[in-house]
Amino acid sequence: MSARKLLAEQCLMDGDEAGCAFHFSESVFATLRTMAIYRDEQIKLANDNLRKITSYIKPVQEIIEANPKTDDQLIDNLIKINDIDVTGVLDSIKTDDELPFHQRYLKFSSENNIDNFRRILKELPKEWTVIQLTAPYNPNENLKQMDEFRTEVDSIYLSVFTNDYLDDSNLGPFTINIPANRHKEGERPLFTELYSLLDENYKTIENAQFLNNKRLVQDYWAKREDIDLRMKSVINVMDKEWLGGWGSLLTGKLIDTKWKEKIKSTVQNTVSDWGVLFNSSSPRYLQERFDFLHTASSHSLRLMGLNEKQMILLYNLMESCPVLSSQQLKSCIRKILTEHGNTERFRQALTCCESCSKDFNLLNELCLKCLSKCFEAVHHFTLVDAIRAFSQLAIQIKDCNEWATLKKAKRHPVILIVDEALDTFPWESTAALREHPASRMENVHFLYHLYKLHEGRVAAGHYVASGGAGRYVINPEKNLDRMEKRMKSFVEYWCESWRGCTGCAPTPEQFIEYLNEADIFLYCGHGDGCRCAGGGSVVEGGGARSVCVLAGCGSVRLCRTQPRRPPRAAHLHLHVAGSPMVVGMLWEVTDLEVDKVVTTMMSLYVPSRQALPWSAVGKTKWSQGIIDVSPPGCPARPPHEPQLLRALGAARASTNFIMIASSVVARGLPVKNYQ
């Protein structure tokens, strides 16, 4: 869908924010939409082999039944009509079963337009913050294999579809461009570094089976630690050098609405006080500023020429300032005030330098000196003083006692729509999302489709599920004995009513049955487990209603079986089949650490009658299948966490390896256990 990205970039240059967001929404994971349409049609054909024929016969039959004639009359009428007339009549009366809108929007038709895009965003639960991360257009997508151009990304488009402050405005969805993959001299570009360390991680884990002496074991752990440090560095660069202050746009809506109103009033007061709280050293400037403040209208005084997009960006930035450094804040404030201002007003105020021209498309094409002069001409205030004003506001929010609880304030879920070129990155481990519930989705079309499919069970932005009926498949290939003993002991202790297969592979019929019977389906083994059903296409046709936890290497990783073939993944098949949520791994992992994360998550999310919490169970001999349920003392049970995304966030802390914690992601609708 490269053409859609080109259209989106052109819309951004033309100032068409809605058009830009719409075209970017159409550019990602088109293959998933095709899969869903094809599967739906195949199911209909399987149930009715004559469907294609009857779609033409049905209207003709209705006309005949409404106007009964003898056989002679019918033959006489048909003789009088030539072939062209017959075709025209049939085409004019042909009918098709009317599909619901959420299924029609999956198709590539005229119904995929900006108005319907806006309609969808309004219908989604108001609790959700929906963000899309898109890689820019790259002509090599149509010429080269994925492995050859996957590192050629120099920026990221961050599109805000729904947001706490955006919902109150008339602006609609908007997009910002963030420079990415920048690196210092002598350092690897981040894309190159990520794929390199993932390759090394795969080789290290793959060769672990050949460790037969102490030296090799020591080398193995040294490599694991080195890989872990490299992943920590990748996340650090994503935070500080990529996202910076723009990470504030990834945060969810605050549950306590008083914070939102307080942020808005504080930012508006700061804007209104420009030139009053902060003085320039120039007496002439002070007089001009004084005259302007006393002649401006109340509205212009409040916004001081800032547009809606700038105000929304400032609201979000100030809301997230407790987790941002001073440098990140100042850099982002400068870009908000200059690069996202009114393009035409800046063009009129521009006095060109040697490197700048009035023929620019976007404000970020101008040098900082010209941007500063234009800002002062438009706003009657220096850029330096404006940055100082908001920097001091950020310090106030960070240090003042009345704002102390903002950093830990709970938030509603974030839905991240991630371009396949960016999907490998651990976005959930960045500072902006680390403490908050976040789930990934392939595109807005399928987000809306899954939501409408399960709308009857969605309340307060969550798919309301149960943890009572559980099914599991553990070690179907019979070559992970210690993992089998650990997970079997956990299931038998914490989820005693669950049933499934341990140490053997289920039949394809059993596997599909588990997906449709269970509230939660747990798979522990190699990969994603779909081969137990006979492949992803069988899963799609069999349907799935369960929340799926796939604890295997790369179980939700996008894979290309051939260089030019679209990516495939277990979660794509499960979403097409109807599963509301899939939790899995982005890359290769080790079984012990994953077992810690999965069992911690399950023990928080799934209620149990056991008196001793799983965190207090003795696990000295866990790999032998032995747990100690009678340790000294009686520790307090940790609070039950009904929201799966929050349970997952807490479970990431149960491992000391960043490679393991950052690999676990959720894909689908936010889920809540009503028990």
PDB file of all heavy atoms in Angstrom, residues 591-610:
ATOM      1  N   ASP A 591      12.660 -20.756  28.231  1.00  0.00           N
ATOM      2  CA  ASP A 591      11.415 -21.225  28.833  1.00  0.00           C
ATOM      3  C   ASP A 591      11.263 -20.857  30.309  1.00  0.00           C
ATOM      4  O   ASP A 591      10.173 -20.493  30.748  1.00  0.00           O
ATOM      5  CB  ASP A 591      11.250 -22.741  28.632  1.00  0.00           C
ATOM      6  CG  ASP A 591      12.456 -23.538  29.108  1.00  0.00           C
ATOM      7  OD1 ASP A 591      13.418 -22.939  29.601  1.00  0.00           O
ATOM      8  OD2 ASP A 591      12.422 -24.785  28.990  1.00  0.00           O
ATOM      9  N   LEU A 592      12.325 -20.920  31.106  1.00  0.00           N
ATOM     10  CA  LEU A 592      12.190 -20.628  32.537  1.00  0.00           C
ATOM     11  C   LEU A 592      11.716 -19.204  32.777  1.00  0.00           C
ATOM     12  O   LEU A 592      10.785 -18.967  33.558  1.00  0.00           O
ATOM     13  CB  LEU A 592      13.521 -20.872  33.257  1.00  0.00           C
ATOM     14  CG  LEU A 592      13.559 -20.474  34.745  1.00  0.00           C
ATOM     15  CD1 LEU A 592      12.508 -21.232  35.539  1.00  0.00           C
ATOM     16  CD2 LEU A 592      14.949 -20.710  35.341  1.00  0.00           C
ATOM     17  N   GLU A 593      12.346 -18.230  32.102  1.00  0.00           N
ATOM     18  CA  GLU A 593      11.984 -16.829  32.321  1.00  0.00           C
ATOM     19  C   GLU A 593      10.567 -16.539  31.813  1.00  0.00           C
ATOM     20  O   GLU A 593       9.815 -15.781  32.428  1.00  0.00           O
ATOM     21  CB  GLU A 593      12.997 -15.910  31.641  1.00  0.00           C
ATOM     22  CG  GLU A 593      14.401 -16.001  32.200  1.00  0.00           C
ATOM     23  CD  GLU A 593      14.459 -15.702  33.693  1.00  0.00           C
ATOM     24  OE1 GLU A 593      13.790 -14.747  34.146  1.00  0.00           O
ATOM     25  OE2 GLU A 593      15.169 -16.426  34.410  1.00  0.00           O
ATOM     26  N   VAL A 594      10.212 -17.145  30.679  1.00  0.00           N
ATOM     27  CA  VAL A 594       8.853 -16.961  30.168  1.00  0.00           C
ATOM     28  C   VAL A 594       7.837 -17.590  31.105  1.00  0.00           C
ATOM     29  O   VAL A 594       6.755 -17.038  31.335  1.00  0.00           O
ATOM     30  CB  VAL A 594       8.727 -17.552  28.744  1.00  0.00           C
ATOM     31  CG1 VAL A 594       7.266 -17.676  28.334  1.00  0.00           C
ATOM     32  CG2 VAL A 594       9.457 -16.679  27.757  1.00  0.00           C
ATOM     33  N   ASP A 595       8.171 -18.744  31.678  1.00  0.00           N
ATOM     34  CA  ASP A 595       7.266 -19.386  32.638  1.00  0.00           C
ATOM     35  C   ASP A 595       7.003 -18.473  33.832  1.00  0.00           C
ATOM     36  O   ASP A 595       5.882 -18.407  34.346  1.00  0.00           O
ATOM     37  CB  ASP A 595       7.857 -20.714  33.120  1.00  0.00           C
ATOM     38  CG  ASP A 595       7.917 -21.759  32.014  1.00  0.00           C
ATOM     39  OD1 ASP A 595       7.282 -21.535  30.960  1.00  0.00           O
ATOM     40  OD2 ASP A 595       8.595 -22.778  32.196  1.00  0.00           O
ATOM     41  N   LYS A 596       8.033 -17.757  34.277  1.00  0.00           N
ATOM     42  CA  LYS A 596       7.854 -16.811  35.385  1.00  0.00           C
ATOM     43  C   LYS A 596       6.855 -15.720  35.007  1.00  0.00           C
ATOM     44  O   LYS A 596       5.945 -15.389  35.779  1.00  0.00           O
ATOM     45  CB  LYS A 596       9.197 -16.170  35.755  1.00  0.00           C
ATOM     46  CG  LYS A 596      10.202 -17.101  36.394  1.00  0.00           C
ATOM     47  CD  LYS A 596      11.498 -16.326  36.663  1.00  0.00           C
ATOM     48  CE  LYS A 596      12.585 -17.219  37.227  1.00  0.00           C
ATOM     49  NZ  LYS A 596      13.861 -16.466  37.441  1.00  0.00           N
ATOM     50  N   VAL A 597       7.032 -15.151  33.809  1.00  0.00           N
ATOM     51  CA  VAL A 597       6.162 -14.055  33.370  1.00  0.00           C
ATOM     52  C   VAL A 597       4.727 -14.542  33.180  1.00  0.00           C
ATOM     53  O   VAL A 597       3.772 -13.912  33.664  1.00  0.00           O
ATOM     54  CB  VAL A 597       6.695 -13.434  32.058  1.00  0.00           C
ATOM     55  CG1 VAL A 597       5.718 -12.388  31.523  1.00  0.00           C
ATOM     56  CG2 VAL A 597       8.063 -12.806  32.277  1.00  0.00           C
ATOM     57  N   VAL A 598       4.558 -15.682  32.504  1.00  0.00           N
ATOM     58  CA  VAL A 598       3.218 -16.182  32.195  1.00  0.00           C
ATOM     59  C   VAL A 598       2.469 -16.583  33.463  1.00  0.00           C
ATOM     60  O   VAL A 598       1.291 -16.248  33.637  1.00  0.00           O
ATOM     61  CB  VAL A 598       3.298 -17.361  31.204  1.00  0.00           C
ATOM     62  CG1 VAL A 598       1.940 -18.038  31.052  1.00  0.00           C
ATOM     63  CG2 VAL A 598       3.785 -16.880  29.848  1.00  0.00           C
ATOM     64  N   THR A 599       3.144 -17.298  34.369  1.00  0.00           N
ATOM     65  CA  THR A 599       2.458 -17.717  35.593  1.00  0.00           C
ATOM     66  C   THR A 599       2.122 -16.527  36.487  1.00  0.00           C
ATOM     67  O   THR A 599       1.061 -16.512  37.131  1.00  0.00           O
ATOM     68  CB  THR A 599       3.308 -18.728  36.382  1.00  0.00           C
ATOM     69  OG1 THR A 599       4.616 -18.182  36.630  1.00  0.00           O
ATOM     70  CG2 THR A 599       3.442 -20.030  35.614  1.00  0.00           C
ATOM     71  N   THR A 600       2.993 -15.518  36.517  1.00  0.00           N
ATOM     72  CA  THR A 600       2.678 -14.311  37.298  1.00  0.00           C
ATOM     73  C   THR A 600       1.465 -13.601  36.717  1.00  0.00           C
ATOM     74  O   THR A 600       0.555 -13.193  37.450  1.00  0.00           O
ATOM     75  CB  THR A 600       3.884 -13.358  37.319  1.00  0.00           C
ATOM     76  OG1 THR A 600       5.010 -14.026  37.885  1.00  0.00           O
ATOM     77  CG2 THR A 600       3.575 -12.111  38.144  1.00  0.00           C
ATOM     78  N   MET A 601       1.442 -13.457  35.405  1.00  0.00           N
ATOM     79  CA  MET A 601       0.299 -12.812  34.754  1.00  0.00           C
ATOM     80  C   MET A 601      -0.995 -13.580  35.011  1.00  0.00           C
ATOM     81  O   MET A 601      -2.023 -13.000  35.372  1.00  0.00           O
ATOM     82  CB  MET A 601       0.554 -12.704  33.247  1.00  0.00           C
ATOM     83  CG  MET A 601      -0.587 -12.057  32.472  1.00  0.00           C
ATOM     84  SD  MET A 601      -0.333 -12.088  30.677  1.00  0.00           S
ATOM     85  CE  MET A 601      -0.635 -13.830  30.340  1.00  0.00           C
ATOM     86  N   MET A 602      -0.947 -14.899  34.838  1.00  0.00           N
ATOM     87  CA  MET A 602      -2.146 -15.711  35.018  1.00  0.00           C
ATOM     88  C   MET A 602      -2.625 -15.700  36.466  1.00  0.00           C
ATOM     89  O   MET A 602      -3.825 -15.673  36.745  1.00  0.00           O
ATOM     90  CB  MET A 602      -1.871 -17.146  34.565  1.00  0.00           C
ATOM     91  CG  MET A 602      -1.464 -17.273  33.108  1.00  0.00           C
ATOM     92  SD  MET A 602      -2.803 -16.925  31.972  1.00  0.00           S
ATOM     93  CE  MET A 602      -3.617 -18.484  31.973  1.00  0.00           C
ATOM     94  N   SER A 603      -1.684 -15.719  37.408  1.00  0.00           N
ATOM     95  CA  SER A 603      -2.080 -15.727  38.821  1.00  0.00           C
ATOM     96  C   SER A 603      -2.707 -14.405  39.245  1.00  0.00           C
ATOM     97  O   SER A 603      -3.523 -14.367  40.162  1.00  0.00           O
ATOM     98  CB  SER A 603      -0.871 -16.045  39.704  1.00  0.00           C
ATOM     99  OG  SER A 603       0.102 -15.008  39.637  1.00  0.00           O
ATOM    100  N   LEU A 604      -2.318 -13.305  38.576  1.00  0.00           N
ATOM    101  CA  LEU A 604      -2.940 -12.009  38.870  1.00  0.00           C
ATOM    102  C   LEU A 604      -4.308 -11.886  38.221  1.00  0.00           C
ATOM    103  O   LEU A 604      -5.242 -11.334  38.814  1.00  0.00           O
ATOM    104  CB  LEU A 604      -2.035 -10.876  38.372  1.00  0.00           C
ATOM    105  CG  LEU A 604      -0.735 -10.637  39.137  1.00  0.00           C
ATOM    106  CD1 LEU A 604       0.129  -9.621  38.398  1.00  0.00           C
ATOM    107  CD2 LEU A 604      -1.025 -10.148  40.555  1.00  0.00           C
ATOM    108  N   TYR A 605      -4.429 -12.426  37.002  1.00  0.00           N
ATOM    109  CA  TYR A 605      -5.649 -12.236  36.217  1.00  0.00           C
ATOM    110  C   TYR A 605      -6.730 -13.274  36.523  1.00  0.00           C
ATOM    111  O   TYR A 605      -7.915 -12.952  36.562  1.00  0.00           O
ATOM    112  CB  TYR A 605      -5.297 -12.272  34.726  1.00  0.00           C
ATOM    113  CG  TYR A 605      -6.483 -12.186  33.803  1.00  0.00           C
ATOM    114  CD1 TYR A 605      -7.190 -10.990  33.654  1.00  0.00           C
ATOM    115  CD2 TYR A 605      -6.906 -13.299  33.075  1.00  0.00           C
ATOM    116  CE1 TYR A 605      -8.282 -10.912  32.804  1.00  0.00           C
ATOM    117  CE2 TYR A 605      -7.994 -13.223  32.223  1.00  0.00           C
ATOM    118  CZ  TYR A 605      -8.677 -12.031  32.098  1.00  0.00           C
ATOM    119  OH  TYR A 605      -9.769 -11.954  31.265  1.00  0.00           O
ATOM    120  N   VAL A 606      -6.334 -14.517  36.733  1.00  0.00           N
ATOM    121  CA  VAL A 606      -7.305 -15.601  36.941  1.00  0.00           C
ATOM    122  C   VAL A 606      -7.531 -15.808  38.431  1.00  0.00           C
ATOM    123  O   VAL A 606      -6.592 -16.115  39.166  1.00  0.00           O
ATOM    124  CB  VAL A 606      -6.800 -16.917  36.302  1.00  0.00           C
ATOM    125  CG1 VAL A 606      -7.803 -18.046  36.538  1.00  0.00           C
ATOM    126  CG2 VAL A 606      -6.557 -16.725  34.810  1.00  0.00           C
ATOM    127  N   PRO A 607      -8.758 -15.664  38.928  1.00  0.00           N
ATOM    128  CA  PRO A 607      -9.028 -15.899  40.351  1.00  0.00           C
ATOM    129  C   PRO A 607      -8.811 -17.369  40.707  1.00  0.00           C
ATOM    130  O   PRO A 607      -8.986 -18.259  39.873  1.00  0.00           O
ATOM    131  CB  PRO A 607     -10.507 -15.514  40.503  1.00  0.00           C
ATOM    132  CG  PRO A 607     -10.856 -14.745  39.278  1.00  0.00           C
ATOM    133  CD  PRO A 607      -9.962 -15.248  38.196  1.00  0.00           C
ATOM    134  N   SER A 608      -8.413 -17.611  41.948  1.00  0.00           N
ATOM    135  CA  SER A 608      -8.194 -18.984  42.410  1.00  0.00           C
ATOM    136  C   SER A 608      -8.666 -19.121  43.853  1.00  0.00           C
ATOM    137  O   SER A 608      -8.667 -18.148  44.613  1.00  0.00           O
ATOM    138  CB  SER A 608      -6.711 -19.346  42.306  1.00  0.00           C
ATOM    139  OG  SER A 608      -6.461 -20.633  42.839  1.00  0.00           O
ATOM    140  N   ARG A 609      -9.040 -20.346  44.207  1.00  0.00           N
ATOM    141  CA  ARG A 609      -9.488 -20.602  45.579  1.00  0.00           C
ATOM    142  C   ARG A 609      -8.318 -20.885  46.517  1.00  0.00           C
ATOM    143  O   ARG A 609      -8.514 -21.035  47.726  1.00  0.00           O
ATOM    144  CB  ARG A 609     -10.443 -21.804  45.597  1.00  0.00           C
ATOM    145  CG  ARG A 609     -11.771 -21.539  44.900  1.00  0.00           C
ATOM    146  CD  ARG A 609     -12.800 -22.606  45.267  1.00  0.00           C
ATOM    147  NE  ARG A 609     -12.373 -23.928  44.825  1.00  0.00           N
ATOM    148  CZ  ARG A 609     -12.728 -24.461  43.661  1.00  0.00           C
ATOM    149  NH1 ARG A 609     -13.499 -23.786  42.822  1.00  0.00           N
ATOM    150  NH2 ARG A 609     -12.320 -25.672  43.326  1.00  0.00           N
ATOM    151  N   GLN A 610      -7.113 -20.974  45.977  1.00  0.00           N
ATOM    152  CA  GLN A 610      -5.961 -21.303  46.812  1.00  0.00           C
ATOM    153  C   GLN A 610      -5.673 -20.187  47.817  1.00  0.00           C
ATOM    154  O   GLN A 610      -5.725 -18.998  47.482  1.00  0.00           O
ATOM    155  CB  GLN A 610      -4.724 -21.540  45.944  1.00  0.00           C
ATOM    156  CG  GLN A 610      -4.872 -22.689  44.961  1.00  0.00           C
ATOM    157  CD  GLN A 610      -5.051 -24.029  45.641  1.00  0.00           C
ATOM    158  OE1 GLN A 610      -4.724 -24.193  46.823  1.00  0.00           O
ATOM    159  NE2 GLN A 610      -5.590 -25.000  44.911  1.00  0.00           N
TER     160      GLN A 610
END
